[in-house]
Amino acid sequence: MNPRIEPIKGYYLRTTIAGVDQRVYVEEAGEGIPLLCLHTAGSDGRQFRHMMNDPRITDHFRVVVFDLPWHGKSSPPAGWEGTTYQLDADTYAETILTVKRDLELDRPVLLGCSIGGRIVLQLARTHPEEFAAVIGLQSGVAVPPYYDRSYLGRPDVNESELCVALMSGLIGPAAPSADRWETLWHYAQGGPGVFNGDLHFYSDQRDLLEDVAKIDTSLCPLYLLSGEYDYSCLPSDSAAVAEHVDGAEFAVMKGIGHFPMSEDHDMFYSYLGPVLNSARSRRGKGC
């Protein structure tokens, strides 16, 4: 392999979120319309490295990715040793709006997967003027627990390996092997209790379809893409959202599981590309 430097730059944002000082790690690549991306529970922004290396995207979009506090290179705040991490909807939404404000992102397209796919629904409803469009990957209003999460905190269980085992079945069967295992490696590196803390928002806090139905797609277009092989947030869960939101666009991504951006980028782009083109066109028209 010839050596090369990828066109991704990283930096730390010092800011305050919900009254707590945080040091948030950010990566970005490209120029154009801001595209703010949200990673899945228990992982970090590395999931979007294929998107940040794809000129089909970066020629038109400034792709911005950040690690939630407690994730990846965003360390927990001072005093973390005396607290239990637990993500909630209000703090999650405030984190996204704070990063958007501090980085001066003008009406970005907001893309989120899994927990990110859920919070974009809330922001599309409560802050439609802040975003040019939202793209929900694996996006549903409620994901009831489908396994015993108490194992994640047991001292006789290797939490790192358990997270990998839990996530391995959520990847599409035809995903390239290297990308499959890189996706799982990210899960193997999560901090203790972080994945379970994210699942508090994902599984314990639920929206209602009646609330989602208040999304006005004339103010903030909504696109929903769902992986065929995702049994955590089923394609039918995203379809239910689309049925309740006038103007929402929905598609099932064949062959893909729960992590489209990291498990099979080329297949994912065949679905994402037309969505990004549509969002770019509608933003240019002032939608």
Side-chain angles (χ1 to χ4, degrees), residues 205-225:
Q205 293 192 311
R206 304 179 186 184
D207 296 326
L208 298 173
L209 284 170
E210 289 76 10
D211 291 335
V212 172
K214 298 174 184 175
I215 294 174
D216 185 345
T217 57
S218 70
L219 300 175
C220 185
L222 173 63
Y223 303 89
L224 300 167
L225 297 174

Side-chain angles (χ1 to χ4, degrees), residues 267-281:
M267 181 66 76
F268 175 47
Y269 184 78
S270 70
Y271 293 94
L272 179 66
V275 167
L276 291 178
N277 288 337
S278 175
R280 185 157 57 104
S281 176

Side-chain angles (χ1 to χ4, degrees), residues 244-267:
H244 282 75
V245 180
D246 290 339
E249 299 185 22
F250 167 66
V252 175
M253 298 180 285
K254 299 294 185 182
I256 290 179
H258 192 71
F259 312 96
M261 60 281 181
S262 63
E263 69 176 64
D264 192 340
H265 174 70
D266 288 338
M267 181 66 76

